[in-house]
Amino acid sequence: MSRPYPSCQGPPPPSLREIPAIGKRAPAPCTCRRSPAQIHALIAYLPTHGQNVTGVFRSPQFHPCFRVSPVVRRGRISVTTTARTAANTLTATLNPRIRHSGFAALVTSAEDAAAMIGNGATVGMSGFTGSGYPKAVPTALAARAEAEHAEGRPFRVRVLTGASTGPELDGVLARADAIEFRTPFNTDPFLRDRINKGETDYVDMHLSQLAPMVWGGIYGDLDVAVVEISGITENGQLIPSASIGNNKTWLDRADRIILEVNSWQSAELEGMHDVYYGTRLPPNRVPIPLIRPDDRIGQPYFDVDFSKVVAVVETDAPDRNAPFTPPDENARLIAGHLIEFLEHEVKRGRLPRSLLPIQSGVGNVPNAVMTGLCDAPFDPMTAYTEVVQDGMLDMLDAGALRLASATAFSLSTDAAERFNSNAGAYRGKLILRPQEISNHPELVRRLGVIAMNGLIEADIYGNVNSTHVMGSRIQNGIGGSGDFARNSFMSIFLTPSTAKGGKISAIVPMAAHVDHISQDVQVIVTEQGLADLRGLAPKKRAAALIQNCAHPSYRPLLEDYFARAMRDSWGLHAPRILPEALSWHQRYVETGSMMP
Amino acid sequence: MSRPYPSCQGPPPPSLREIPAIGKRAPAPCTCRRSPAQIHALIAYLPTHGQNVTGVFRSPQFHPCFRVSPVVRRGRISVTTTARTAANTLTATLNPRIRHSGFAALVTSAEDAAAMIGNGATVGMSGFTGSGYPKAVPTALAARAEAEHAEGRPFRVRVLTGASTGPELDGVLARADAIEFRTPFNTDPFLRDRINKGETDYVDMHLSQLAPMVWGGIYGDLDVAVVEISGITENGQLIPSASIGNNKTWLDRADRIILEVNSWQSAELEGMHDVYYGTRLPPNRVPIPLIRPDDRIGQPYFDVDFSKVVAVVETDAPDRNAPFTPPDENARLIAGHLIEFLEHEVKRGRLPRSLLPIQSGVGNVPNAVMTGLCDAPFDPMTAYTEVVQDGMLDMLDAGALRLASATAFSLSTDAAERFNSNAGAYRGKLILRPQEISNHPELVRRLGVIAMNGLIEADIYGNVNSTHVMGSRIQNGIGGSGDFARNSFMSIFLTPSTAKGGKISAIVPMAAHVDHISQDVQVIVTEQGLADLRGLAPKKRAAALIQNCAHPSYRPLLEDYFARAMRDSWGLHAPRILPEALSWHQRYVETGSMMP
């Protein structure tokens, strides 16, 4: 079937469809996708004025209260009621986070909402690095999947998110074996296990690219969006939660929308977001008008087509992130080497005194670097990054950072409580944006971001594996590291020189998988030291990495390998002993250690 | 030593330093870097008015004609002459390509110009895919290196270019063993041999990134620029040649400048270039105001600080590019599969009828695709690419392409003659830009480029090796393929399914080196068929690649490997048999064939 290329990507015109005035017909054709329960709730709300309402709705089924024309799945049915229905569903309007009566009328249970998601559906869910993910509906969906499976019926969905979520989303759904397909990022151990057993298809993607690819039709139609928000305004706009991620895209693209309004999220989040509505599909893209991390180029709320909203679920549940371990000696050493290097770059006139906007991956080592930067002799910095971790809050508190732009929080329980109890203090210092914008190559390159990311292993030439343990098991995913490393002003990777108590070396003869090619890896730092690889040809990169970064227990092995490669390799541009290149990984698989 | 971070990258203000009026002092301090020969030539020009001249010059040496203060290398010396020197050096003014008398006075021999380049110098040379490279000075420099070597003295330089050059640059210098270090791209067989024997350090780089890295000070000071141009205007601006590459940066950053004015290049090139002067170092970067491939955002000439120009060398020599072989059956099949796919995408509404701006790598297969596109049922297209090949000229002639933006030509001898004899006909249809702009991630993403590049091998998961044959020998380099593939709207790789008469398979269990990670590889096409990898998890990518793209003689081997990997791999996300993953490459090294 032939269809025209969409001339523009972007939200539907902000034509928030209001409930028709009492006694009036709803504008026809109504494009709403509400379930009978929602139609019921809507009508339950309206007759409090004591009048009847007539409207035209699309519904998968119809509600028994109504006199309706024949049911057509997803077709249009006429609904008329003269019944004054139970006003007790109106308790939802008491929630101060829901300041729009139309939405209040759609409040329903997580179970009823989950019932609107069919087997095989493609679902766009909120959530980025364990914050702002829906908590009630996925849990109910998992229960439903288990019930279906118990009856011998298949039930699995395709799940798209911003990035990683929490145990109440990926965890419960993975345990229920309810995820057929997952993209673009995951950190949940249960889901990881499904993926590595070959039971769930997983596409780890550059995080800036999922939204445009969904707009471009690559992932098919988006059946449902399940998005956590922190509130709904009087005008029916949505106040984002602790992450923005791909939510704008899910709201714009999904056929139906389920909202979770989470009262646990700070009400002070309102106004901290900057949702840019200028993205388009080519050839209609224009420059993104952001030239400083501080710039606001959008609006603080999501627009939403009310007619697509089928359920509003109330929650009061915390984001669940693991606490950071206090920086250990290795993390402190890594931070020390890095800060010394940055000072050196400032002294040589290659970085300004306030550095350039920093991006930091998630984890204990990057967090330790942030902590170290609190006392570093730089002018107040900015961050243009994916995620605000504990360490960045510390930097903001200490005045070392004057502004952080991100798409999400990823705070430990303690830090989240600290933030929530005093969120107003961060007003003007924190901006959350869609991940399409926080990670946009155009902006990363323009701002000259200093990218700092972690790795699993680097080979002696500086090719980095961030994702595939021993080349075949996925750890998390590439996430935004590729968006930043490729386009940054300076791309730095940080890692302890060994893992698993010394049984794995972070510097290996050959990486068993490559996520960041050597061109995108300019500096590597371990607790042993720092290798500045910029402008170095392969053999000089190898010398620097082996000498400065490898652990002393692996250094002689690497030196021996490299010396023999210099003698025996087919080519001497990047010498390699092919039969031995992956032998360390094989030894680990066989013996549990890379050490011979 | 501490120095301030430069507040802006960009050209020096266009303060073209004119020769002082007769009898006046040159503005002091003069920052020129002229050799004695140049000072001589300048003074030879001036006294034709019968007057003396007094100036202040910097020079590495001084000329015996002049009464001078003590010599200081690169220091400032006072030069005074009362001698009326030989007017015969003025023959240069007869060259109509040199419309500025100050430059005409600097005309000298290639040998004298080469004498100004010292052992160990870092030299920025023009040249991109075999066009617009200097031809006389590098040849003279190679002769000089050979003479020095014959005397037992070291002589090697560090060479930075736009991309590949020609035999008169990389070839002669490599044969003379005069290249210590080379970046960012090479295709010369003699230099390749030096690199793969470990005799020359080579850094293959993303082509968009060299200029900003040089501005950022990563490659140290640029001692000399040697830039081919097609002429000099009356105002002392430079008319670029058949490639722009990094020339703006070399001219802005080098201490001294040697120009080659090549009369072989079409005079009609004047006006075809668009040199953007808005690049900066962060944090002073701003949006690049280009939203269509057609947009002109700069000026047709290079600005140059006249005081840095130390020599002008006249040449009349062709760019030397190998002829394209006529498309063979495989190339036609690849083009056919690709065009069918693009038609399908248009039909599904995922591409506009004029497609999106196309980028095409260099080589016979991409050239065949261009030829195939001449008859494809699309609306007139545009190209936003690095290089204009023969096939793109054909498309322009056929009206299939309405505009091509690039940084260089890469034309066969026949096509270059065709272009030169009728260059005016392409006015308004061709724009050449600096490679920083032609390959800029901001613009590649904004325009939504359809990237088409070649490869050496792809593994079954779609990771691509474009550079390292059997993992250790460099073929050419990554070039601009990473700039385009990562940020494109659609990233396509094209290759015959085998090489070396079937002894090498383009689809292998594991790539022996990775340049393009699977996230950046969306479509792979061989003569066997096309694999659309978008949105597919690793095992589905493997199935598609083995089934659609592998050669039938290798397909059973790949199927067998993959089936055993599914059984034996440590992880089943991306199954892999580590000890066997590189065995095909090892077999090739040992036996000359990947086939068992």
mmCIF file of all heavy atoms in Angstrom, chain A residues 242-277:
data_model
loop_
_atom_site.group_PDB
_atom_site.id
_atom_site.type_symbol
_atom_site.label_atom_id
_atom_site.label_comp_id
_atom_site.label_asym_id
_atom_site.label_seq_id
_atom_site.Cartn_x
_atom_site.Cartn_y
_atom_site.Cartn_z
ATOM 1 N N ALA A 242 10.182 12.825 36.837
ATOM 2 C CA ALA A 242 11.617 12.956 37.095
ATOM 3 C C ALA A 242 12.473 12.586 35.894
ATOM 4 O O ALA A 242 13.700 12.613 35.968
ATOM 5 C CB ALA A 242 12.002 12.101 38.295
ATOM 6 N N SER A 243 11.853 12.191 34.813
ATOM 7 C CA SER A 243 12.583 12.011 33.557
ATOM 8 C C SER A 243 11.659 12.398 32.422
ATOM 9 O O SER A 243 10.436 12.304 32.545
ATOM 10 C CB SER A 243 13.056 10.562 33.394
ATOM 11 O OG SER A 243 11.958 9.685 33.213
ATOM 12 N N ILE A 244 12.260 12.841 31.337
ATOM 13 C CA ILE A 244 11.454 13.147 30.141
ATOM 14 C C ILE A 244 11.629 12.050 29.109
ATOM 15 O O ILE A 244 10.664 11.539 28.574
ATOM 16 C CB ILE A 244 11.821 14.532 29.568
ATOM 17 C CG1 ILE A 244 11.377 15.612 30.565
ATOM 18 C CG2 ILE A 244 11.136 14.725 28.220
ATOM 19 C CD1 ILE A 244 11.380 17.010 29.996
ATOM 20 N N GLY A 245 12.865 11.687 28.851
ATOM 21 C CA GLY A 245 13.095 10.581 27.919
ATOM 22 C C GLY A 245 12.414 10.799 26.587
ATOM 23 O O GLY A 245 12.512 11.871 25.978
ATOM 24 N N ASN A 246 11.700 9.773 26.130
ATOM 25 C CA ASN A 246 10.996 9.836 24.841
ATOM 26 C C ASN A 246 9.510 10.152 25.004
ATOM 27 O O ASN A 246 8.727 9.907 24.087
ATOM 28 C CB ASN A 246 11.149 8.494 24.114
ATOM 29 C CG ASN A 246 12.541 8.306 23.546
ATOM 30 O OD1 ASN A 246 13.116 9.234 22.967
ATOM 31 N ND2 ASN A 246 13.085 7.106 23.704
ATOM 32 N N ASN A 247 9.122 10.667 26.162
ATOM 33 C CA ASN A 247 7.690 10.787 26.432
ATOM 34 C C ASN A 247 6.940 11.653 25.441
ATOM 35 O O ASN A 247 5.793 11.371 25.107
ATOM 36 C CB ASN A 247 7.475 11.315 27.852
ATOM 37 C CG ASN A 247 7.958 10.313 28.889
ATOM 38 O OD1 ASN A 247 8.257 9.169 28.540
ATOM 39 N ND2 ASN A 247 8.062 10.725 30.135
ATOM 40 N N LYS A 248 7.570 12.729 25.002
ATOM 41 C CA LYS A 248 6.894 13.579 24.018
ATOM 42 C C LYS A 248 6.528 12.741 22.792
ATOM 43 O O LYS A 248 5.402 12.819 22.284
ATOM 44 C CB LYS A 248 7.791 14.738 23.608
ATOM 45 C CG LYS A 248 7.181 15.637 22.543
ATOM 46 C CD LYS A 248 8.107 16.760 22.144
ATOM 47 C CE LYS A 248 9.114 16.367 21.095
ATOM 48 N NZ LYS A 248 8.536 16.083 19.761
ATOM 49 N N THR A 249 7.470 11.943 22.358
ATOM 50 C CA THR A 249 7.227 11.117 21.167
ATOM 51 C C THR A 249 6.143 10.083 21.434
ATOM 52 O O THR A 249 5.248 9.876 20.602
ATOM 53 C CB THR A 249 8.533 10.443 20.720
ATOM 54 O OG1 THR A 249 9.463 11.472 20.360
ATOM 55 C CG2 THR A 249 8.315 9.522 19.534
ATOM 56 N N TRP A 250 6.197 9.436 22.589
ATOM 57 C CA TRP A 250 5.161 8.425 22.879
ATOM 58 C C TRP A 250 3.781 9.084 22.902
ATOM 59 O O TRP A 250 2.824 8.550 22.345
ATOM 60 C CB TRP A 250 5.412 7.730 24.219
ATOM 61 C CG TRP A 250 6.703 7.003 24.441
ATOM 62 C CD1 TRP A 250 7.185 6.593 25.650
ATOM 63 C CD2 TRP A 250 7.661 6.546 23.480
ATOM 64 N NE1 TRP A 250 8.384 5.939 25.505
ATOM 65 C CE2 TRP A 250 8.700 5.891 24.186
ATOM 66 C CE3 TRP A 250 7.759 6.633 22.097
ATOM 67 C CZ2 TRP A 250 9.811 5.331 23.546
ATOM 68 C CZ3 TRP A 250 8.866 6.081 21.461
ATOM 69 C CH2 TRP A 250 9.860 5.446 22.171
ATOM 70 N N LEU A 251 3.678 10.258 23.543
ATOM 71 C CA LEU A 251 2.373 10.928 23.627
ATOM 72 C C LEU A 251 1.882 11.341 22.243
ATOM 73 O O LEU A 251 0.698 11.236 21.939
ATOM 74 C CB LEU A 251 2.474 12.157 24.545
ATOM 75 C CG LEU A 251 2.757 11.850 26.027
ATOM 76 C CD1 LEU A 251 3.124 13.128 26.779
ATOM 77 C CD2 LEU A 251 1.541 11.174 26.681
ATOM 78 N N ASP A 252 2.823 11.792 21.415
ATOM 79 C CA ASP A 252 2.419 12.253 20.081
ATOM 80 C C ASP A 252 2.064 11.094 19.155
ATOM 81 O O ASP A 252 1.195 11.232 18.296
ATOM 82 C CB ASP A 252 3.544 13.076 19.424
ATOM 83 C CG ASP A 252 3.710 14.451 20.062
ATOM 84 O OD1 ASP A 252 2.814 14.861 20.819
ATOM 85 O OD2 ASP A 252 4.731 15.104 19.802
ATOM 86 N N ARG A 253 2.767 9.975 19.310
ATOM 87 C CA ARG A 253 2.634 8.917 18.326
ATOM 88 C C ARG A 253 1.668 7.795 18.695
ATOM 89 O O ARG A 253 1.204 7.069 17.811
ATOM 90 C CB ARG A 253 4.016 8.276 18.072
ATOM 91 C CG ARG A 253 4.998 9.196 17.394
ATOM 92 C CD ARG A 253 4.648 9.485 15.964
ATOM 93 N NE ARG A 253 4.800 8.312 15.113
ATOM 94 C CZ ARG A 253 4.546 8.280 13.813
ATOM 95 N NH1 ARG A 253 4.097 9.373 13.203
ATOM 96 N NH2 ARG A 253 4.712 7.185 13.127
ATOM 97 N N ALA A 254 1.409 7.603 19.991
ATOM 98 C CA ALA A 254 0.616 6.431 20.382
ATOM 99 C C ALA A 254 -0.851 6.601 20.004
ATOM 100 O O ALA A 254 -1.388 7.710 19.987
ATOM 101 C CB ALA A 254 0.742 6.199 21.883
ATOM 102 N N ASP A 255 -1.492 5.487 19.723
ATOM 103 C CA ASP A 255 -2.935 5.509 19.469
ATOM 104 C C ASP A 255 -3.712 5.843 20.738
ATOM 105 O O ASP A 255 -4.702 6.554 20.691
ATOM 106 C CB ASP A 255 -3.388 4.127 18.963
ATOM 107 C CG ASP A 255 -2.958 3.886 17.529
ATOM 108 O OD1 ASP A 255 -2.609 4.870 16.843
ATOM 109 O OD2 ASP A 255 -2.957 2.722 17.105
ATOM 110 N N ARG A 256 -3.276 5.263 21.846
ATOM 111 C CA ARG A 256 -3.952 5.511 23.112
ATOM 112 C C ARG A 256 -2.918 5.844 24.176
ATOM 113 O O ARG A 256 -1.792 5.349 24.116
ATOM 114 C CB ARG A 256 -4.662 4.265 23.632
ATOM 115 C CG ARG A 256 -5.592 3.650 22.677
ATOM 116 C CD ARG A 256 -5.927 2.322 23.263
ATOM 117 N NE ARG A 256 -6.727 1.592 22.320
ATOM 118 C CZ ARG A 256 -7.605 0.686 22.691
ATOM 119 N NH1 ARG A 256 -7.753 0.395 23.972
ATOM 120 N NH2 ARG A 256 -8.313 0.061 21.791
ATOM 121 N N ILE A 257 -3.370 6.569 25.162
ATOM 122 C CA ILE A 257 -2.450 7.030 26.198
ATOM 123 C C ILE A 257 -2.980 6.659 27.575
ATOM 124 O O ILE A 257 -4.147 6.923 27.893
ATOM 125 C CB ILE A 257 -2.266 8.561 26.115
ATOM 126 C CG1 ILE A 257 -1.596 8.928 24.780
ATOM 127 C CG2 ILE A 257 -1.455 9.083 27.298
ATOM 128 C CD1 ILE A 257 -1.652 10.402 24.463
ATOM 129 N N ILE A 258 -2.109 6.042 28.372
ATOM 130 C CA ILE A 258 -2.406 5.778 29.780
ATOM 131 C C ILE A 258 -1.427 6.607 30.597
ATOM 132 O O ILE A 258 -0.214 6.530 30.383
ATOM 133 C CB ILE A 258 -2.241 4.272 30.108
ATOM 134 C CG1 ILE A 258 -3.270 3.456 29.316
ATOM 135 C CG2 ILE A 258 -2.363 4.035 31.608
ATOM 136 C CD1 ILE A 258 -3.032 1.937 29.384
ATOM 137 N N LEU A 259 -1.953 7.410 31.500
ATOM 138 C CA LEU A 259 -1.102 8.268 32.322
ATOM 139 C C LEU A 259 -1.048 7.748 33.749
ATOM 140 O O LEU A 259 -2.079 7.314 34.289
ATOM 141 C CB LEU A 259 -1.636 9.706 32.320
ATOM 142 C CG LEU A 259 -1.711 10.377 30.942
ATOM 143 C CD1 LEU A 259 -2.463 11.704 31.040
ATOM 144 C CD2 LEU A 259 -0.321 10.581 30.362
ATOM 145 N N GLU A 260 0.116 7.756 34.345
ATOM 146 C CA GLU A 260 0.240 7.527 35.784
ATOM 147 C C GLU A 260 0.641 8.853 36.423
ATOM 148 O O GLU A 260 1.700 9.400 36.109
ATOM 149 C CB GLU A 260 1.309 6.465 36.092
ATOM 150 C CG GLU A 260 0.890 5.058 35.730
ATOM 151 C CD GLU A 260 1.749 3.988 36.429
ATOM 152 O OE1 GLU A 260 2.581 4.334 37.293
ATOM 153 O OE2 GLU A 260 1.561 2.799 36.088
ATOM 154 N N VAL A 261 -0.200 9.346 37.320
ATOM 155 C CA VAL A 261 0.106 10.599 38.011
ATOM 156 C C VAL A 261 0.690 10.233 39.375
ATOM 157 O O VAL A 261 -0.016 9.727 40.243
ATOM 158 C CB VAL A 261 -1.154 11.473 38.181
ATOM 159 C CG1 VAL A 261 -0.791 12.777 38.875
ATOM 160 C CG2 VAL A 261 -1.785 11.741 36.825
ATOM 161 N N ASN A 262 1.978 10.470 39.525
ATOM 162 C CA ASN A 262 2.691 9.998 40.722
ATOM 163 C C ASN A 262 2.901 11.142 41.714
ATOM 164 O O ASN A 262 3.730 12.031 41.495
ATOM 165 C CB ASN A 262 4.040 9.388 40.305
ATOM 166 C CG ASN A 262 4.730 8.732 41.488
ATOM 167 O OD1 ASN A 262 4.288 8.844 42.630
ATOM 168 N ND2 ASN A 262 5.827 8.049 41.203
ATOM 169 N N SER A 263 2.159 11.086 42.814
ATOM 170 C CA SER A 263 2.232 12.162 43.809
ATOM 171 C C SER A 263 3.532 12.128 44.608
ATOM 172 O O SER A 263 3.839 13.086 45.323
ATOM 173 C CB SER A 263 1.045 12.066 44.772
ATOM 174 O OG SER A 263 -0.151 12.160 44.045
ATOM 175 N N TRP A 264 4.262 11.024 44.522
ATOM 176 C CA TRP A 264 5.558 10.965 45.216
ATOM 177 C C TRP A 264 6.556 11.940 44.600
ATOM 178 O O TRP A 264 7.415 12.480 45.286
ATOM 179 C CB TRP A 264 6.107 9.540 45.152
ATOM 180 C CG TRP A 264 7.465 9.400 45.786
ATOM 181 C CD1 TRP A 264 7.738 9.211 47.108
ATOM 182 C CD2 TRP A 264 8.742 9.466 45.116
ATOM 183 N NE1 TRP A 264 9.106 9.142 47.313
ATOM 184 C CE2 TRP A 264 9.736 9.297 46.104
ATOM 185 C CE3 TRP A 264 9.117 9.651 43.793
ATOM 186 C CZ2 TRP A 264 11.108 9.304 45.803
ATOM 187 C CZ3 TRP A 264 10.475 9.661 43.491
ATOM 188 C CH2 TRP A 264 11.455 9.490 44.496
ATOM 189 N N GLN A 265 6.445 12.153 43.296
ATOM 190 C CA GLN A 265 7.365 13.089 42.642
ATOM 191 C C GLN A 265 7.115 14.501 43.161
ATOM 192 O O GLN A 265 5.977 14.895 43.395
ATOM 193 C CB GLN A 265 7.182 13.051 41.112
ATOM 194 C CG GLN A 265 7.408 11.684 40.475
ATOM 195 C CD GLN A 265 8.882 11.285 40.393
ATOM 196 O OE1 GLN A 265 9.764 12.019 40.845
ATOM 197 N NE2 GLN A 265 9.145 10.095 39.851
ATOM 198 N N SER A 266 8.177 15.248 43.307
ATOM 199 C CA SER A 266 8.050 16.588 43.864
ATOM 200 C C SER A 266 7.156 17.472 42.996
ATOM 201 O O SER A 266 7.298 17.517 41.774
ATOM 202 C CB SER A 266 9.431 17.241 43.963
ATOM 203 O OG SER A 266 9.283 18.607 44.269
ATOM 204 N N ALA A 267 6.257 18.190 43.663
ATOM 205 C CA ALA A 267 5.431 19.159 42.931
ATOM 206 C C ALA A 267 6.288 20.295 42.390
ATOM 207 O O ALA A 267 5.904 20.992 41.453
ATOM 208 C CB ALA A 267 4.343 19.709 43.852
ATOM 209 N N GLU A 268 7.467 20.440 42.968
ATOM 210 C CA GLU A 268 8.379 21.509 42.524
ATOM 211 C C GLU A 268 9.023 21.196 41.179
ATOM 212 O O GLU A 268 9.740 22.021 40.626
ATOM 213 C CB GLU A 268 9.497 21.715 43.562
ATOM 214 C CG GLU A 268 9.014 22.111 44.935
ATOM 215 C CD GLU A 268 8.896 23.626 45.076
ATOM 216 O OE1 GLU A 268 9.066 24.323 44.060
ATOM 217 O OE2 GLU A 268 8.616 24.070 46.188
ATOM 218 N N LEU A 269 8.829 19.991 40.666
ATOM 219 C CA LEU A 269 9.340 19.696 39.325
ATOM 220 C C LEU A 269 8.702 20.615 38.290
ATOM 221 O O LEU A 269 9.306 20.903 37.252
ATOM 222 C CB LEU A 269 9.052 18.233 38.949
ATOM 223 C CG LEU A 269 9.926 17.147 39.576
ATOM 224 C CD1 LEU A 269 9.382 15.765 39.233
ATOM 225 C CD2 LEU A 269 11.372 17.268 39.100
ATOM 226 N N GLU A 270 7.501 21.068 38.580
ATOM 227 C CA GLU A 270 6.794 21.908 37.605
ATOM 228 C C GLU A 270 7.628 23.139 37.262
ATOM 229 O O GLU A 270 8.012 23.901 38.148
ATOM 230 C CB GLU A 270 5.418 22.331 38.145
ATOM 231 C CG GLU A 270 4.614 23.078 37.089
ATOM 232 C CD GLU A 270 3.173 23.379 37.522
ATOM 233 O OE1 GLU A 270 2.776 22.948 38.623
ATOM 234 O OE2 GLU A 270 2.482 24.062 36.761
ATOM 235 N N GLY A 271 7.922 23.280 36.000
ATOM 236 C CA GLY A 271 8.723 24.416 35.545
ATOM 237 C C GLY A 271 10.184 24.067 35.298
ATOM 238 O O GLY A 271 10.924 24.873 34.726
ATOM 239 N N MET A 272 10.632 22.904 35.755
ATOM 240 C CA MET A 272 12.036 22.522 35.537
ATOM 241 C C MET A 272 12.265 21.910 34.156
ATOM 242 O O MET A 272 13.404 21.718 33.745
ATOM 243 C CB MET A 272 12.492 21.500 36.588
ATOM 244 C CG MET A 272 12.813 22.128 37.927
ATOM 245 S SD MET A 272 13.714 20.981 38.993
ATOM 246 C CE MET A 272 13.681 21.916 40.536
ATOM 247 N N HIS A 273 11.204 21.572 33.458
ATOM 248 C CA HIS A 273 11.355 20.890 32.181
ATOM 249 C C HIS A 273 11.352 21.876 31.012
ATOM 250 O O HIS A 273 10.776 22.961 31.111
ATOM 251 C CB HIS A 273 10.227 19.864 32.002
ATOM 252 C CG HIS A 273 10.052 18.946 33.178
ATOM 253 N ND1 HIS A 273 9.197 19.246 34.221
ATOM 254 C CD2 HIS A 273 10.628 17.766 33.487
ATOM 255 C CE1 HIS A 273 9.252 18.252 35.124
ATOM 256 N NE2 HIS A 273 10.112 17.354 34.704
ATOM 257 N N ASP A 274 11.968 21.447 29.948
ATOM 258 C CA ASP A 274 11.991 22.252 28.729
ATOM 259 C C ASP A 274 11.735 21.302 27.560
ATOM 260 O O ASP A 274 12.651 20.637 27.080
ATOM 261 C CB ASP A 274 13.350 22.955 28.587
ATOM 262 C CG ASP A 274 13.370 23.923 27.418
ATOM 263 O OD1 ASP A 274 12.544 24.866 27.417
ATOM 264 O OD2 ASP A 274 14.194 23.748 26.500
ATOM 265 N N VAL A 275 10.491 21.232 27.156
ATOM 266 C CA VAL A 275 10.096 20.270 26.119
ATOM 267 C C VAL A 275 10.091 20.992 24.773
ATOM 268 O O VAL A 275 9.272 21.871 24.524
ATOM 269 C CB VAL A 275 8.700 19.678 26.412
ATOM 270 C CG1 VAL A 275 8.371 18.593 25.390
ATOM 271 C CG2 VAL A 275 8.637 19.121 27.833
ATOM 272 N N TYR A 276 11.041 20.618 23.936
ATOM 273 C CA TYR A 276 11.216 21.273 22.634
ATOM 274 C C TYR A 276 10.287 20.621 21.618
ATOM 275 O O TYR A 276 10.329 19.401 21.440
ATOM 276 C CB TYR A 276 12.673 21.140 22.204
ATOM 277 C CG TYR A 276 12.994 21.729 20.853
ATOM 278 C CD1 TYR A 276 12.833 23.092 20.610
ATOM 279 C CD2 TYR A 276 13.478 20.931 19.816
ATOM 280 C CE1 TYR A 276 13.145 23.636 19.378
ATOM 281 C CE2 TYR A 276 13.798 21.475 18.581
ATOM 282 C CZ TYR A 276 13.618 22.824 18.366
ATOM 283 O OH TYR A 276 13.938 23.365 17.136
ATOM 284 N N TYR A 277 9.471 21.454 20.962
ATOM 285 C CA TYR A 277 8.518 20.932 19.983
ATOM 286 C C TYR A 277 8.927 21.248 18.548
ATOM 287 O O TYR A 277 8.084 21.234 17.655
ATOM 288 C CB TYR A 277 7.110 21.461 20.284
ATOM 289 C CG TYR A 277 6.366 20.565 21.267
ATOM 290 C CD1 TYR A 277 6.354 20.837 22.625
ATOM 291 C CD2 TYR A 277 5.720 19.421 20.812
ATOM 292 C CE1 TYR A 277 5.695 19.997 23.516
ATOM 293 C CE2 TYR A 277 5.060 18.578 21.690
ATOM 294 C CZ TYR A 277 5.048 18.865 23.042
ATOM 295 O OH TYR A 277 4.392 18.020 23.908
#
